[in-house]
Amino acid sequence: MNTKETKKNIIQAGQRAVEELIKVAKEAIVDSDDDISADRLKNAAATKKLAIFDAFEILSRIEEEENMLENKPKKEIEKKAFKGFAEKRSK
């Protein structure tokens, strides 16, 4: 198997991974109606957030690899850093 075919297989695997992460993101944060501790709820929400961010990261990399396989020019993407209140005011 050559490198180009291997990359295509990796891209397909990445797309399947994104589909699984979407399933995780769509699930309810908690399944029970019982009283839920704040820590458990916080951990469940953090897991869901991680699944969403991972899916976006994988999609971005898939797009980048597909463009390289098709010899398209690389996009210049400005990465925006999320800043807190104090960081915004420090300028």
Side-chain angles (χ1 to χ4, degrees):
M1 192 182 298
N2 65 24
T3 304
K4 198 171 195 175
E5 286 301 315
T6 302
K7 283 186 176 188
K8 287 180 182 180
N9 288 335
I10 293 169
I11 288 169
Q12 289 174 348
Q15 289 167 335
R16 285 191 299 272
V18 168
E19 290 170 9
E20 293 299 317
L21 289 168
I22 290 170
K23 289 178 188 175
V24 170
K26 285 184 175 181
E27 289 178 6
I29 289 182
V30 290
D31 293 335
S32 66
D33 293 330
D34 299 336
D35 187 28
I36 298 160
S37 72
D39 285 342
R40 184 170 173 215
L41 189 60
K42 184 178 177 182
N43 287 339
T47 300
K48 198 169 281 285
K49 178 181 175 183
L50 183 60
I52 292 167
F53 285 158
D54 284 350
F56 279 122
E57 185 177 339
I58 292 169
L59 285 174
S60 294
R61 184 60 190 259
I62 286 172
E63 183 179 8
E64 198 175 295
E65 290 296 329
E66 286 176 333
N67 287 340
M68 285 193 301
L69 284 173
E70 296 170 4
N71 294 323
K72 290 184 180 177
K74 194 173 185 180
K75 288 185 195 175
E76 292 296 324
I77 300 174
E78 178 184 333
K79 291 193 175 188
K80 295 182 180 181
F82 294 101
K83 296 181 180 179
F85 178 78
E87 292 167 324
K88 288 179 185 177
R89 296 287 183 184
S90 66
K91 290 184 178 181

